Amino acid sequence: MKARGFIVLDNPISNEGHLDSWHVLFVDLLTRDGWSVIALSADPVGLTRKLQAKGLKAGANLIVEGSDMPGGTGSMASARALWRRWGDYLHTRRFESGQGRVQSRGRAGRARGKCADAAIVVLGGLAGSAHATYRWIRRRTTTPGVAALETHLDPLGFCRRAQACIARHPGKVVAVFSMYVDAYMPQATSWPEFRLAPGVPWMGLCITPTGDPRLEGYYQAPTYRGTCFLDEAVARRYQALLPQRQFAYLPDITETGLPDAPEPIVLEVRQLAGDRRIVFMGGSIGKQKNLARWWGLISIAD
């Protein structure tokens, strides 16, 4: 299969959250394993820059294309609403701040240990009961309508985008992979017209599964082969429920590389900090980031 053609990696949202870094990681892993890749992005220039920082250059086995072609990603407002939905899901979880406090600013080793313990608490919580709350929300949005359109993307947009890519590379695309398949409206009624070119299967990465494939309409698509999850227990559950498809567990990782030259905001923070140590928290900052521990650190910091 590797020698026959390209895998299309489609990222429906650019410059929001961790999806760009995962896009780069998937391109890197697949190309290193001998696959050829077409990376579809709403920001192909930005993606190309991130790929180059990783040492990946476009060529015969790596093509970067914009998704602002027929069947593009849709409005930025819809994308941001979708990302708010993910943020709202995270905020439904309550995380404990852990026992004890950082004893003193002079005990750096103990402080690092306490922060590491707090991080483990947060990560463990995400892998557990958070899914139950999200399933409760999703079960109550199974009727398509304006609300679904405001918080999800239209599957037909993804279909047209993938079809256009396949048409631009006739006979060369062997599979399509969505980097965020649960970004699309989950109702089965949203998926009956989803058809790729004959013989081209597709798969996806699901970040927030419902736990019940009957509530996720893409499983009705005859050419959908399977899903990657960030929760090992969910992958096992879906494999038992749908043995005819393939499911895999992926660890929730991210890119650790830094640019050769610091960004202007980094220089500004360093200038403001002077000789003080900088402790950084970034991303979607909410309850899932253990703000109680963060505030505890601030309260004893210089």
Side-chain angles (χ1 to χ4, degrees):
M1 189 173 182
K2 295 181 184 180
R4 285 173 39 212
F6 288 88
I7 293 179
V8 176
L9 286 180
D10 178 72
N11 178 20
I13 304 175
S14 292
N15 302 313
E16 293 284 346
H18 64 275
L19 292 173
D20 284 328
S21 63
W22 271 70
H23 208 179
V24 173
L25 284 169
F26 269 57
V27 170
D28 183 37
L29 291 170
L30 287 171
T31 53
R32 278 199 285 145
D33 198 41
W35 296 94
S36 296
V37 172
I38 299 173
L40 284 182
S41 172
D43 181 15
V45 175
L47 177 61
T48 298
R49 185 168 58 250
K50 295 178 178 73
L51 289 169
Q52 290 174 345
K54 186 74 173 174
L56 300 166
K57 296 182 179 180
N61 296 321
L62 173 56
I63 299 172
V64 178
E65 294 184 350
S67 55
D68 55 346
M69 300 177 181
T73 58
S75 70
M76 181 58 69
S78 295
R80 292 192 181 279
L82 171 65
W83 203 251
R84 283 196 301 272
R85 173 172 67 86
W86 169 235
D88 290 343
Y89 155 67
L90 291 176
H91 289 189
T92 63
R93 280 292 297 136
R94 296 178 60 190
F95 295 98
E96 301 298 330
S97 61
Q99 299 297 319
R101 291 172 55 89
V102 180
Q103 297 301 314
S104 72
R105 62 191 174 200
R107 299 178 181 178
R110 172 175 269 175
R112 285 193 294 270
K114 293 286 187 180
C115 290
D117 291 343
I120 292 171
V121 170
V122 172
L123 293 175
L126 279 175
S129 58
H131 291 293
T133 302
Y134 190 66
R135 288 198 298 272
W136 182 88
I137 296 172
R138 287 285 286 267
R139 287 194 184 101
R140 283 152 180 77
T141 58
T142 55
T143 301
V146 175
L149 286 170
E150 288 177 348
T151 57
H152 294 76
L153 303 178
D154 188 346
L156 288 181
F158 170 41
C159 183
R160 296 188 189 106
R161 188 166 62 250
Q163 286 285 53
C165 180
I166 293 170
R168 290 192 297 273
H169 306 276
K172 295 183 178 180
V173 174
V174 296
V176 174
F177 189 95
S178 171
M179 300 297 301
Y180 192 5
V181 69
D182 48 319
Y184 300 99
M185 289 185 288
Q187 299 82 4
T189 54
S190 301
W191 293 88
E193 299 181 43
F194 193 97
R195 295 287 188 278
L196 296 181
V200 178
W202 67 287
M203 302 141 281
L205 169 63
C206 181
I207 299 174
T208 56
T210 66
D212 186 348
R214 294 173 299 179
L215 303 179
E216 295 157 340
Y218 41 90
Y219 288 106
Q220 307 297 323
T223 55
Y224 189 73
R225 293 290 181 85
T227 311
C228 295
F229 294 112
L230 306 183
D231 187 315
E232 193 170 8
V234 172
R236 290 196 300 266
R237 170 177 169 78
Y238 274 65
Q239 191 66 75
L241 291 172
L242 299 173
Q244 71 278 19
R245 290 188 170 87
Q246 297 296 317
F247 299 94
Y249 160 69
L250 299 178
D252 193 353
I253 59 175
T254 190
E255 180 57 68
T256 59
L258 297 174
D260 294 332
E263 299 289 335
I265 191 173
V266 174
L267 298 176
E268 181 182 356
V269 170
R270 286 177 175 171
Q271 182 180 13
L272 291 171
D275 60 355
R276 294 176 296 173
R277 184 181 298 276
I278 299 169
V279 181
F280 172 75
M281 177 187 288
S284 175
I285 299 177
K287 293 178 182 178
Q288 81 282 4
K289 293 294 174 67
N290 204 338
L291 294 178
R293 178 68 69 185
W294 176 241
W295 177 251
L297 176 60
I298 292 173
S299 67
I300 63 171
D302 179 0

